[in-house]
Amino acid sequence: MIKKIFKFFLKLVGILILFSLFMVVLYKWVPVPFTPLMAIRYFENPDEKIQHSWVPRQDISRHLQLGLIASEDQNFVKHRGFDIEAIEKAIEDNQKGKRVRGASTISQQTAKNVFLWPGRNWFRKGLEVYFTFLIETLWSKERILEVYLNSIEMGGGVYGAEAAAQHWFNKSAANLSVYEAAAIAAILPNPREYRANPASNYINQRINWIVRQMQNYGKFSLE
């Protein structure tokens, strides 16, 4: 009986691994139609309309692409999914009792948004590491950024750059200005509470900081 249970468990794990590989390969080419977070939000707030329109990365303002990299993950084009320096800094700040800034990379956020659910337990974090490794191995950086731009939550019921641009500024994502892009990036710590337009004093401070980071980042070389 124990041997049969063990074989069943191994077979189940094998099936789940193959399915996860299939989904990662599929999303390398196919637009992501919805995410687990969208489903969770829908059941939490059935009356909240989901706004989500997939657009190619080329149709998203370079200002928004740079703004998100400059504010969320400045080593995105260099690391292989995990920013070791940021992780070490977060551990050091935690040991000193300082406020810990998140060390999650754009790749990790993409893996979580597309394949997983919100949570901080070790099992979910382990799956996040697994899917981050897969997308960094099987996708290009350009594809990771494109999926990130189209799947991240950018307001209540608002997902992706195009929906955010329309929701906050009534224009397409391709036409966002530097400050509009920075405003959308500025609300990401808590997009369901913060507003990109009109922006509060706190968000305006973040906008100015993000614009400075964009200016200091240098040439945006991800083509």
Side-chain angles (χ1 to χ4, degrees):
M1 178 63 71
I2 294 176
K3 191 174 181 179
K4 287 183 178 180
I5 294 174
F6 184 69
K7 283 184 177 181
F8 173 78
F9 178 75
L10 286 180
K11 186 180 292 187
L12 179 62
V13 170
I15 291 172
L16 291 175
I17 290 174
L18 288 175
F19 179 72
S20 67
L21 286 169
F22 170 76
M23 294 304 297
V24 171
V25 172
L26 179 68
Y27 285 152
K28 180 178 181 178
W29 310 108
V30 177
V32 180
F34 66 95
T35 66
L37 182 60
M38 291 181 196
I40 290 169
R41 296 294 191 222
Y42 174 78
F43 285 108
E44 288 177 345
N45 303 281
D47 296 330
E48 183 177 82
K49 181 182 177 182
I50 293 179
Q51 303 171 59
H52 178 238
S53 298
W54 180 281
V55 294
R57 188 173 65 90
Q58 291 77 8
D59 293 338
I60 298 174
S61 167
R62 299 275 287 183
H63 299 312
L64 183 57
Q65 296 182 48
L66 176 57
L68 290 171
I69 288 175
S71 62
E72 294 290 302
D73 184 7
Q74 294 190 10
N75 291 320
F76 172 66
V77 298
K78 301 175 184 177
H79 64 61
R80 295 296 300 167
F82 307 95
D83 191 336
I84 303 303
E85 291 182 8
I87 293 172
E88 291 175 345
K89 182 67 165 57
I91 293 173
E92 181 181 334
D93 288 346
N94 183 54
Q95 291 175 342
K96 292 180 179 179
K98 294 182 180 179
R99 180 176 176 271
V100 179
R101 178 180 173 82
S104 182
T105 64
I106 283 176
S107 300
Q108 289 175 267
Q109 292 180 53
T110 303
K112 178 185 70 175
N113 290 339
V114 176
F115 300 106
L116 301 170
W117 62 93
R120 294 184 176 276
N121 62 72
W122 286 108
F123 176 69
R124 198 207 62 80
K125 291 298 289 184
L127 289 176
E128 181 182 303
V129 170
Y130 169 72
F131 278 106
T132 300
F133 172 77
L134 285 184
I135 65 174
E136 278 281 348
T137 302
L138 299 174
W139 297 0
S140 64
K141 285 288 187 180
E142 292 85 352
R143 181 58 177 175
I144 292 173
L145 183 59
E146 182 174 62
V147 174
Y148 174 78
L149 288 163
N150 277 286
S151 62
I152 192 168
E153 188 176 32
M154 294 178 167
V158 180
Y159 301 89
E162 182 65 22
Q166 295 289 350
H167 178 80
W168 293 116
F169 297 105
N170 196 30
K171 60 170 60 177
S172 69
N175 296 322
L176 290 170
S177 69
V178 171
Y179 278 88
E180 289 167 345
I184 291 175
I187 67 172
L188 290 193
N190 196 342
R192 297 182 67 82
E193 296 295 331
Y194 298 145
R195 296 182 59 84
N197 185 35
S200 65
N201 289 335
Y202 171 70
I203 294 300
N204 273 320
Q205 291 175 5
R206 280 188 52 79
I207 290 171
N208 291 329
W209 177 82
I210 290 171
V211 170
R212 288 196 301 271
Q213 296 302 307
M214 293 167 69
Q215 293 169 342
N216 294 334
Y217 186 87
K219 183 179 179 182
F220 180 35
S221 59
L222 188 65
E223 299 298 338

